[in-house]
Amino acid sequence: MKCSILYHIPDADFWSRYAQLWERSLHRSAFQSPHIVQYFTSLIHDGLAVFECYDKDKLLAAAMFKRENRYYTFLSDLKTDANFFLLDRDCTPDMMRRIFEGFIEQATKEKMTLMLNHFPAWATYSGILEDILRSSSLYSMQIDYSVCPVAAGETPEALYKEVSASRNTRYKVNKFVKQENGTFEVLTDDADMDHWADEFCDAHVARWAPTPTPSAYRDPKRREFLKNCLRAWYADKVLVRFALRVGEKRIGFMVGLLEEETLIYHAPTFHPDYAHCSPGRALIYFITQWMAENNLRILDFGDGNEAYKYYVASKDQVLRRIFISGKYNLAFIAKTHFIKAVREHQKIYSLYQNKLKPAYRNLLGKVSVLLSSVLSFNGLSQAVWQENLPDLSFFLT
């Protein structure tokens, strides 16, 4: 078994092996699917790191990282709910241990500093990685940082029956259908992809305009990013697009991602003009009906503990943040303890989440627009000044 970390864009042979590994992987996550990860690598012009582990000519494990300032995060942080290492499903516990020992050995050799966000505590190998970190010569800290609420039925039909049993839900759905002449749309092909995405973005912008966190989809580049993600997921056969329609207009949306018997409820939104129809509730009703017809029994609501998820979700899957560095990286270690202290103090964390974080993002957006025009006039790239911003992103993520 040979493990290594490389710092260049992988070649066609690697992508072929990666696609095969993903197909037979232990956790076949849509967020690490071949086309989406290949698209993400095309966006990283510097600072890509690729972990790979081979047994002879067979790729057993892989993970992608990107450098942010002075540390590495998962590449799939660009758009994700959970970040998995890809491991072959036939790996035994002993093989998993050797893979992660190889990863930590390479990270130590390369003097890498890592902040692994959205790490799924429910991953089969989670405890193995934790044990290896505990016994390694590196500094490491893990904190429970978020959750993915999950609704699971014993059968696909059981989940739909549970949702449709709610009198309030049935009332909302009937109101949407009868008063608004509303309909439910499911798209499993690439029909109307760009227009669908534009309608999604327009609704998202309108939905968040009056809040302290206006939509990122005001930026045409973010819209194009979303469209490319949808195309990549479609190419990997994991994308299902759901929408509520009133006449020719789509007013509620959800990007669905398939993972075996699970549907990921990713990136939902609705147009605020139709809030009286409770589009979120109507979407969940119709989606679980579709799931029953397509043999899916688990609805994973993705990252975040928003209240609306819990009228269906019955348990939380924990997402962790794992910090790894050399033991003498004192600045990084101090930051990790600060983050842990803030995360565990509910009032301070609420202030950060609801005030400081939105304010920082809004300020960064305004500064970005202003400085990009000024610096381009002077022949400098936006990346130059972004590299020299204070490293607040370490905290404000």
Side-chain angles (χ1 to χ4, degrees):
M1 193 178 291
K2 181 181 178 182
C3 297
S4 58
I5 293 177
L6 307 175
Y7 298 95
H8 55 73
I9 300 293
D11 58 18
D13 179 63
F14 172 85
W15 287 121
S16 176
R17 294 172 188 270
Y18 183 93
Q20 293 171 21
L21 172 61
W22 180 75
E23 285 289 349
R24 63 174 188 267
S25 62
L26 187 61
H27 298 285
R28 200 169 71 94
S29 171
F31 300 110
Q32 280 76 48
S33 66
H35 284 87
I36 195 73
V37 172
Q38 195 163 3
Y39 168 55
F40 290 160
T41 61
S42 74
L43 303 177
I44 307 299
H45 304 297
D46 183 40
L48 180 69
V50 181
F51 169 69
E52 55 184 26
C53 182
Y54 282 90
D55 183 11
K56 298 179 180 177
D57 291 332
K58 183 179 180 181
L59 184 62
L60 283 182
M64 305 270 188
F65 306 93
K66 58 183 174 65
R67 189 177 66 239
E68 291 189 359
N69 296 306
R70 290 170 290 278
Y71 56 92
Y72 283 88
T73 68
F74 282 112
L75 176 64
S76 46
D77 267 351
L78 289 170
K79 188 159 182 63
T80 195
D81 284 315
N83 293 315
F84 291 87
F85 285 81
L86 281 193
L87 270 67
D88 190 291
R89 63 173 171 247
D90 291 332
C91 284
T92 64
D94 180 64
M95 292 169 71
M96 292 180 200
R97 177 168 291 277
R98 289 164 60 195
I99 287 168
F100 283 107
E101 284 174 345
F103 171 65
I104 295 302
E105 179 182 343
Q106 291 298 313
T108 304
K109 177 182 174 183
E110 298 294 323
K111 299 180 179 179
M112 293 180 75
T113 299
L114 295 141
M115 184 170 71
L116 305 182
N117 301 316
H118 299 96
F119 182 83
W122 66 92
T124 305
Y125 48 75
S126 175
I128 293 173
L129 177 58
E130 185 176 344
D131 287 344
I132 291 169
L133 285 171
R134 193 181 298 116
S135 60
S136 78
S137 62
L138 295 174
Y139 164 81
S140 66
M141 175 192 286
Q142 296 191 37
I143 56 176
D144 293 350
Y145 209 81
S146 188
V147 294
C148 289
V150 171
E154 290 187 9
T155 66
E157 294 78 13
L159 178 60
Y160 171 58
K161 283 182 180 179
E162 182 180 342
V163 171
S164 59
S166 166
R167 181 180 298 178
N168 188 32
T169 297
R170 293 198 307 273
Y171 170 77
K172 301 288 187 183
V173 170
N174 289 334
K175 182 178 179 181
F176 169 69
V177 172
K178 293 178 179 179
Q179 294 187 13
E180 302 293 336
N181 294 317
T183 58
F184 178 59
E185 176 185 61
V186 183
L187 295 171
T188 57
D189 56 14
D190 60 348
D192 205 24
M193 186 84 79
D194 285 355
H195 182 58
W196 191 97
D198 284 330
E199 285 188 291
F200 173 96
C201 292
D202 290 342
H204 198 275
V205 169
R207 165 73 178 83
W208 294 101
T211 73
T213 55
S215 171
Y217 295 118
R218 295 173 299 166
D219 183 349
K221 292 181 180 178
R222 291 299 299 177
R223 292 182 176 230
E224 189 60 31
F225 174 78
L226 173 64
K227 291 175 183 178
N228 287 332
C229 289
L230 295 178
R231 294 184 191 109
W233 280 322
Y234 171 71
D236 287 320
K237 298 183 174 67
V238 297
L239 176 68
V240 185
R241 290 174 290 146
F242 300 96
L244 299 177
R245 300 185 68 129
V246 174
E248 295 300 311
K249 183 177 182 181
R250 296 182 177 100
I251 59 95
F253 306 80
M254 198 277 275
V255 176
L257 299 173
L258 300 170
E259 295 182 7
E260 298 174 347
E261 59 182 353
T262 297
L263 180 72
I264 307 295
Y265 192 89
H266 183 68
T269 197
F270 64 89
H271 198 288
D273 290 351
Y274 293 87
H276 62 281
C277 298
S278 299
R281 221 170 243 242
L283 264 175
I284 292 171
Y285 173 90
F286 287 120
I287 287 169
T288 54
Q289 184 179 51
W290 179 87
M291 289 173 64
E293 295 166 357
N294 288 272
N295 205 33
L296 300 167
R297 68 174 191 87
I298 301 172
L299 184 58
D300 182 336
F301 283 95
D303 180 22
N305 62 349
E306 292 85 355
Y308 77 87
K309 299 177 179 180
Y310 290 98
Y311 92 86
V312 177
S314 56
K315 69 172 184 177
D316 285 335
Q317 294 188 134
V318 174
L319 292 167
R320 289 184 179 140
R321 180 172 285 186
I322 303 177
F323 306 99
I324 305 170
S325 76
K327 289 190 174 179
Y328 297 102
N329 190 346
L330 300 182
F332 181 85
I333 292 170
K335 289 177 182 179
T336 67
H337 284 283
F338 175 82
I339 290 174
K340 184 175 186 291
V342 169
R343 191 65 184 86
E344 292 177 349
H345 194 292
Q346 192 55 46
K347 288 185 178 179
I348 295 176
Y349 183 69
S350 179
L351 173 66
Y352 144 73
Q353 191 80 341
N354 299 318
K355 299 291 185 181
L356 297 180
K357 184 177 178 180
Y360 173 74
R361 286 183 173 175
N362 286 337
L363 175 62
L364 193 60
K366 292 176 182 178
V367 171
S368 174
V369 172
L370 176 62
L371 285 185
S372 62
S373 59
V374 171
L375 293 175
S376 62
F377 179 78
N378 289 281
L380 298 172
S381 71
Q382 188 170 335
V384 172
W385 68 266
Q386 284 181 328
E387 276 293 316
N388 291 286
L389 280 173
D391 189 14
L392 297 178
S393 63
F394 188 97
F395 303 101
L396 300 170
T397 53

